[in-house]
Amino acid sequence: MEENVEISSAEGTRSSICPALVDALHHDHDDHEADQMKESMHRDALFRSRLLSSRHSFTQGLNGEEQLDGGGLAQIHLSSSPRSGLGIMTAGDRQDLDQGIDTPQQQPQQQRQRQQFQQQQAPLPGPINDRGRSISFSSMSAEPATRPGSGVAAGTSTAASEGPEERYSVRDLFPDYPEEFLPEMRDFQRVIISNTPEPVDSDTMAACRQLRKAMMLRSKWMGVALDPDAPSSGPGLTISTCNGSTPAQNYPESPIYNSCTPPAPSVPLPPHMLGRASPPPTAPPPPGSPDSPRTSAYKRMKRRQAPPYEPFSYKPPGASSHLIKLVDGVYNVWEGEEGENGEKGGEAVTKIFSVDEFYEDFHDLIHLLTCGPVKTYSYKRLQVLEARFHLHKLLNSDRELSAQKSVPHRDFYNIRKVDTHVHHSACMHLKHLLRFIKHKLKTAGGEIVAFRDGQFLTLKEVFQSLKITAMDLSVDTLDMHANNTFHRFDRFNLKYNPAGQSRLREIFLKTDNMIAGTYLAEVTQQVISDLNASKYQLVEWRVSIYGRKPSEWDKLARWFYTSRLASDKIRWLIQIPRLYAVYKASGELENFEHLLRNIFAPLFEVTRNPGSNPPLAIFLNTIVGFDCVDDESKPEIHANQGQNFSTPKDWQYKQDPPYSYWCYYIAANIKSLNNFRRVRGMSTFEFRPHCGEAGDPEHLVAAYLLAEKINHGIVLRKIPGLQLLYYLSQIGMAMSPLSNNKLFLDYHRNPFVKYFHQGLNVSLSTDDPLLLHYTKDPLVEEYSVAAQVWRLSSTDLCEMARNSVLQSGFEDIFKRHYLGRHYDAPGAAGNDIRQTNVPDIRVRYRHEVWRNEMDMVLYCDREPVGKSMGGRGEKKPGWTLG
């Protein structure tokens, strides 16, 4: 590998720099002496750079020079270097080593010499070629610059002829990592299962056809490609959306990043970079920065700047004239206003499949999964996937570890991890909440916080009525850790009450109370400060919208807006509790359509006219999805085939609708809202319900058709056919083993590690740190427990962390910053080990195995790869058994 070095000096003559070095390069043609000269030069340069890093500093010049305190102005350019470059010693530097660092009295004399040289502009010799290392000398003029807050090493002078000088340390000269980083270990040992000349048996063929049909149903309802890797005209690619239009990106975007259009495809990699980790994107220089080459190079070399995130500066578009109507429980949008006779104004913006069509596909999928060949084939393939992963680790674990060791700076603690499933009211640990309550009781005891029995109560009076003092408060007194809650979801919910008192929960953990959620906002700000300090941990908090009143959105948005609860480390989700029966019994709701109207009507209205509620318009930009939560183990009405449920307007029963009914109407309204907001150039949302934590496996069937991602999914282990479909579709699952351990499933029986071995898209999340965790870093605690119990390697943990970022709703620009600029490319081309610390070996293995399983299902009707197909012997995409 060639290394080009260019040295530009400004000391006047060649001999003043290093006569012996120049004469040797010009006249010495002996290979042995030339090699010794270069080795000596590198050795002296390394020593010089170490000395300067502690006692010297570089000074910026106009043309990108590096000013040395005894050797004039020197510029060093290193290209195609696998690591950071080496400095070159000049004659003045050698004099510094012999006589010590220049005193302040010597500095003005050197500055006068430099000024005289700049006036003379004496030409210097041209480039010299030395076996691939080009060294050139050219004249330069130095112009001091100023960098606010720059430090100066001891023993140097800050005086300059034309003002203060900008100084950098040697560390500022070199980037955090090289432009093209190539780990030593890239390829790996594979386990290959060869094909047989016999045709595929009928059971396998039938199972593959049924699974392909199931995947086509999800493609229909989600509007995504059946085969993500296939070209637009390739076989097996089916794209269909609920509104018949081209699908947009399947992750929410923020309008402050121009999310009204799908993100542009990644820049294609050149041939020599295929499969390599791509260089990090260069952060744009801040406004008003100088445009000198030295400054530009310095900006590129400095640590990458995070993308800006300022949702409060968002300027929404004006009002539109779209027509919005609620039809059979789903909001529909048309262009233009309604006519005099009630006719629609124009073309429909949204078109959603009916609930009858959903239940028809829902029952088809259930019957498909109960097919004998599908169950047998799925079980075998899942066993093969798990066995192949164990073999892969046995054969390649050392290679993966070597690749990780070769990456500078990165380790498990220094990669991004997203807690994709955590409830906001339980986002802090219990000791944190205890300290906050004690602090408020001592400093704000006279503040009015509640209204009870016809009178206003201060915080101190509330605790006096409970007969609790600040001295009595402790972790045990609050009693909020989830103990004795196994299979008792009711007890688990009661743990949200500090000291078992619902009034304390209303004061400290609610947004809608007498103090407008001030205490919860203060705790939230403290948790955000902890996240900013940790830097590499991010969260997606869930806040509740119950659907009792349409004013819930306005109160929640104003709480967010006035408290300024936005950060580049957090995004928000809305969770909808399935509590229709409770509100119906209390008389707050007339029917199920009433609940849907309270939840979605404000969203469609603020999309049509953002100026009607600016705080809500801004709050929606930070929301990435919707969740549907409640106890799944409760008995419910089953959706039998051929049974027609009542419309939401006619659902006036006291019982809750079935889980699938909830999912359809929430998902249908979200899709309609997304289409409307996409037309308006606004952000969109995902549907990520709690699913598969307990209860009927049919919940997972409904989520397969309607949800982008799910939470929990531990019941999936009971249905091998559906489990294989979740693997093939790579549906993200945010799992919480510690939470499941307290409610429904012992930790050692949790299928998380089995899912991970088989290749399902799983990540770890905390769920309720207030109730479950004991440390300041609950997400790291979740990872550490899993690593100890299941003996996970560093590569395993980093892969889970990468999955969490991919599953999250963070905008495309942030994912490229966290994972690499080509993160959305398939296979190893989408992995940047410098950002994720996941070896390309692991990513390539996952993609190859998944690609093989996809080919077997999608192209099962064709001959195996390697056989001639067709009369002319052309090759068509096929499958391999391995």
Side-chain angles (χ1 to χ4, degrees):
M1 182 180 294
E2 294 185 354
E3 185 181 64
N4 299 323
V5 180
E6 179 183 354
I7 304 179
S8 301
S9 178
E11 274 299 331
T13 62
R14 271 173 38 194
S15 59
S16 65
I17 298 176
C18 188
L21 174 60
V22 175
D23 292 338
L25 293 176
H26 269 297
H27 306 296
D28 192 355
H29 299 286
D30 185 82
D31 293 343
H32 179 68
E33 293 181 3
D35 293 339
Q36 286 184 342
M37 181 68 68
K38 287 193 292 183
E39 291 177 2
S40 176
M41 180 178 62
H42 279 281
R43 184 169 55 253
D44 293 343
L46 179 61
F47 179 74
R48 176 63 178 170
S49 65
R50 291 176 178 174
L51 177 65
L52 291 176
S53 65
S54 60
R55 305 182 64 183
H56 278 266
S57 62
F58 283 97
T59 306
Q60 181 190 19
L62 176 63
N63 295 322
E65 302 88 353
E66 292 289 351
Q67 181 175 355
L68 304 179
D69 288 336
L73 296 174
Q75 182 182 8
I76 304 173
H77 296 287
L78 299 178
S79 61
S80 301
S81 174
R83 290 289 181 185
S84 58
L86 297 175
I88 306 299
M89 292 189 64
T90 62
D93 299 336
R94 296 180 184 275
Q95 185 178 1
D96 288 342
L97 295 179
D98 296 335
Q99 300 180 3
I101 305 303
D102 299 329
T103 61
Q105 290 77 12
Q106 295 173 321
Q107 293 290 339
Q109 181 180 0
Q110 296 175 359
Q111 293 171 1
R112 286 194 297 270
Q113 293 176 356
R114 285 194 285 270
Q115 292 176 1
Q116 293 174 2
F117 171 74
Q118 294 169 8
Q119 296 173 359
Q120 295 174 0
Q121 293 292 321
L124 290 178
I128 304 172
N129 222 337
D130 180 29
R131 298 183 190 86
R133 179 190 296 272
S134 62
I135 305 178
S136 63
F137 300 90
S138 61
S139 63
M140 295 184 180
S141 61
E143 179 178 336
T146 303
R147 178 165 69 103
S150 60
V152 181
T156 60
S157 174
T158 59
S161 59
E162 296 183 14
E165 297 180 347
E166 180 177 5
R167 297 184 177 272
Y168 302 95
S169 67
V170 177
R171 300 183 186 91
D172 296 332
L173 179 62
F174 304 114
D176 291 80
Y177 38 71
E179 287 291 326
E180 296 182 9
F181 173 74
L182 293 178
E184 297 178 1
M185 297 293 181
R186 295 185 50 78
D187 209 347
F188 63 98
Q189 292 179 287
R190 295 168 172 82
V191 178
I192 300 176
I193 305 173
S194 60
N195 294 322
T196 58
E198 294 82 6
V200 179
D201 61 276
S202 59
D203 276 3
T204 300
M205 188 70 69
C208 290
R209 288 173 178 170
Q210 296 279 41
L211 292 171
R212 181 173 59 189
K213 179 182 177 182
M215 295 179 66
M216 292 177 67
L217 291 177
R218 175 173 171 82
S219 176
K220 165 187 172 181
W221 283 93
M222 298 303 302
V224 295
L226 182 61
D227 185 357
D229 285 357
S232 57
S233 59
L237 180 65
T238 303
I239 301 180
S240 59
T241 59
C242 294
N243 60 353
S245 60
T246 303
Q249 65 270 24
N250 60 348
Y251 49 83
E253 287 288 344
S254 172
I256 61 179
Y257 299 111
N258 300 324
S259 65
C260 54
T261 57
S266 300
V267 179
L269 294 175
H272 70 281
M273 284 293 292
L274 288 177
R276 296 185 181 183
S278 58
T282 303
S289 63
D291 296 331
S292 66
R294 174 67 182 87
T295 303
S296 300
Y298 173 75
K299 294 298 182 183
R300 290 195 302 270
M301 292 177 179
K302 286 294 292 178
R303 192 179 302 274
R304 301 174 310 135
Q305 298 296 323
Y309 185 68
E310 299 176 354
F312 297 108
S313 63
Y314 168 65
K315 299 187 184 311
S320 69
S321 59
H322 287 84
L323 174 64
I324 303 172
K325 275 193 172 183
L326 183 62
V327 180
D328 293 334
V330 179
Y331 277 94
N332 289 262
V333 182
W334 294 269
E335 295 180 353
E337 299 179 355
E338 187 176 8
E340 296 180 358
N341 299 326
E343 66 273 9
K344 306 302 182 294
E347 184 181 356
V349 175
T350 61
K351 183 180 178 181
I352 308 298
F353 295 136
S354 66
V355 64
D356 295 333
E357 191 168 355
F358 164 71
Y359 273 111
E360 182 179 351
D361 293 342
F362 176 76
H363 291 297
D364 286 346
L365 184 55
I366 291 177
H367 287 300
L368 182 152
L369 295 172
T370 58
C371 175
V374 170
K375 293 193 290 186
T376 301
Y377 174 83
S378 301
Y379 175 78
K380 288 182 178 180
R381 295 315 301 174
L382 291 171
Q383 293 297 312
V384 170
L385 288 172
E386 187 174 5
R388 289 187 66 169
F389 180 78
H390 290 309
L391 288 174
H392 170 81
K393 290 194 68 173
L394 288 173
L395 297 173
N396 301 288
S397 59
D398 292 340
R399 288 178 171 82
E400 292 178 341
L401 182 60
S402 298
Q404 286 187 314
K405 287 181 178 180
S406 64
V407 182
H409 177 63
R410 294 296 177 195
D411 54 32
F412 168 72
Y413 295 97
N414 293 335
I415 59 174
R416 263 72 182 193
K417 302 169 283 291
V418 183
D419 194 347
T420 53
H421 173 205
V422 52
H423 300 280
H424 171 250
S425 57
C427 66
M428 73 295 294
H429 61 94
L430 186 53
K431 189 65 176 179
H432 186 168
L433 180 62
L434 175 64
R435 288 196 300 265
F436 181 81
I437 293 176
K438 283 188 173 183
H439 173 74
K440 283 298 176 183
L441 190 56
K442 293 178 181 179
T443 60
E447 184 176 357
I448 296 177
V449 297
F451 181 79
R452 189 179 182 88
D453 298 331
Q455 59 180 354
F456 293 97
L457 299 176
T458 63
L459 182 62
K460 184 176 181 180
E461 291 172 344
V462 170
F463 276 89
Q464 287 177 349
S465 64
L466 299 175
K467 299 181 180 180
I468 299 176
T469 64
M471 184 62 66
D472 296 332
L473 288 175
S474 66
V475 169
D476 295 333
T477 304
L478 293 182
D479 190 23
M480 300 184 72
H481 278 142
N483 299 316
N484 301 321
T485 58
F486 198 71
H487 285 287
R488 289 295 303 272
F489 202 87
D490 55 336
R491 286 183 179 176
F492 189 85
N493 281 336
L494 291 177
K495 289 295 181 178
Y496 278 93
N497 298 328
Q501 301 296 325
S502 59
R503 69 183 78 176
L504 295 183
R505 178 182 182 181
E506 181 181 354
I507 294 171
F508 290 100
L509 300 179
K510 290 288 186 178
T511 60
D512 183 14
N513 52 27
M514 179 67 66
I515 55 176
T518 302
Y519 288 171
L520 182 59
E522 292 181 14
V523 177
T524 303
Q525 291 285 11
Q526 295 175 7
V527 178
I528 292 176
S529 298
D530 293 340
L531 291 172
N532 291 333
S534 66
K535 182 180 179 179
Y536 294 102
Q537 295 186 38
L538 307 101
V539 295
E540 291 181 328
W541 283 332
R542 284 159 169 77
V543 288
S544 296
I545 290 291
Y546 299 94
R548 293 175 293 184
K549 301 176 183 178
S551 60
E552 292 177 6
W553 277 108
D554 182 66
K555 293 179 180 179
L556 182 61
R558 292 187 182 278
W559 171 78
F560 164 84
Y561 185 82
T562 57
S563 303
R564 287 297 195 267
L565 298 177
S567 169
D568 60 347
K569 300 292 189 299
I570 63 172
R571 297 296 182 270
W572 298 87
L573 281 92
I574 299 300
Q575 62 182 17
I576 302 173
R578 297 189 299 274
L579 299 176
Y580 164 79
V582 177
Y583 305 145
K584 175 65 176 176
S586 63
E588 297 180 86
L589 295 176
E590 298 177 2
N591 48 46
F592 192 74
E593 185 180 85
H594 191 186
L595 180 140
L596 295 174
R597 188 183 300 110
N598 291 340
I599 294 174
F600 291 102
L603 304 184
F604 280 89
E605 179 59 32
V606 79
T607 301
R608 178 171 57 182
N609 182 16
S612 63
N613 194 338
L616 180 56
I618 293 175
F619 182 42
L620 290 180
N621 292 335
T622 66
I623 296 174
V624 298
F626 284 78
D627 192 356
C628 185
V629 300
D630 197 23
D631 182 9
E632 291 187 69
S633 63
K634 294 190 301 186
E636 64 179 24
I637 303 173
H638 284 279
N640 299 320
Q641 188 170 10
Q643 175 184 358
N644 293 325
F645 286 111
S646 302
T647 62
K649 187 175 182 179
D650 296 331
W651 192 283
Q652 301 179 1
Y653 316 114
K654 296 182 179 180
Q655 296 84 7
D656 270 313
Y659 182 92
S660 56
Y661 193 90
W662 277 91
C663 284
Y664 169 78
Y665 282 104
I666 293 177
N669 281 285
I670 291 174
K671 291 181 185 297
S672 180
L673 180 63
N674 284 342
N675 292 335
F676 186 25
R677 293 179 66 84
R678 202 173 285 120
V679 170
R680 298 279 288 146
M682 300 178 179
S683 60
T684 56
F685 312 107
E686 292 180 336
F687 181 43
R688 298 196 225 160
H690 276 56
C691 184
E693 185 179 14
D696 200 311
E698 290 183 358
H699 299 178
L700 290 162
V701 177
Y704 181 77
L705 294 176
L706 299 172
E708 281 84 1
K709 305 172 185 76
I710 66 170
N711 306 300
H712 296 297
I714 58 178
V715 179
L716 194 62
R717 71 191 190 279
K718 299 179 180 180
I719 316 174
L722 193 58
Q723 185 178 342
L724 185 62
L725 285 175
Y726 270 72
Y727 166 73
L728 294 173
S729 300
Q730 285 294 290
I731 299 175
M733 292 192 294
M735 303 187 67
S736 308
L738 287 178
S739 174
N740 302 145
N741 184 63
K742 292 292 187 179
L743 271 172
F744 296 110
L745 191 65
D746 291 336
Y747 200 97
H748 68 279
R749 296 178 55 197
N750 197 287
F752 171 82
V753 70
K754 196 178 188 71
Y755 293 169
F756 176 74
H757 291 166
Q758 292 167 348
L760 275 75
N761 184 10
V762 295
S763 65
L764 286 172
S765 58
T766 58
D767 198 353
D768 296 286
L770 181 63
L771 279 62
L772 303 170
H773 298 83
Y774 291 82
T775 65
K776 186 179 179 180
D777 296 319
L779 187 58
V780 174
E781 183 179 344
E782 194 84 36
Y783 276 90
S784 64
V785 174
Q788 292 292 334
V789 174
W790 291 316
R791 300 182 180 89
L792 300 176
S793 65
S794 174
T795 303
D796 298 335
L797 297 177
C798 293
E799 183 184 1
M800 296 171 190
R802 179 176 181 265
N803 288 345
S804 71
V805 180
L806 291 172
Q807 293 176 15
S808 71
F810 280 80
E811 294 80 6
D812 177 74
I813 188 174
F814 282 94
K815 289 186 178 180
R816 295 189 189 279
H817 179 72
Y818 298 153
L819 303 179
R821 64 195 305 181
H822 301 292
Y823 80 92
D824 51 349
N831 180 56
D832 189 345
I833 190 174
R834 300 167 304 176
Q835 307 299 327
T836 64
N837 203 38
V838 181
D840 287 351
I841 294 174
R842 176 64 63 86
V843 180
R844 187 173 298 166
Y845 161 79
R846 294 291 194 191
H847 186 262
E848 288 179 3
V849 174
W850 172 82
R851 182 69 261 171
N852 179 77
E853 299 295 330
M854 286 286 290
D855 290 342
M856 290 183 64
V857 172
L858 298 182
Y859 310 123
C860 60
D861 297 327
R862 298 178 181 162
E863 296 288 340
V865 170
K867 288 192 175 184
S868 177
M869 304 178 190
R872 299 181 182 178
E874 66 272 11
K875 300 287 185 178
K876 295 183 179 179
W879 53 273
T880 57
L881 189 60

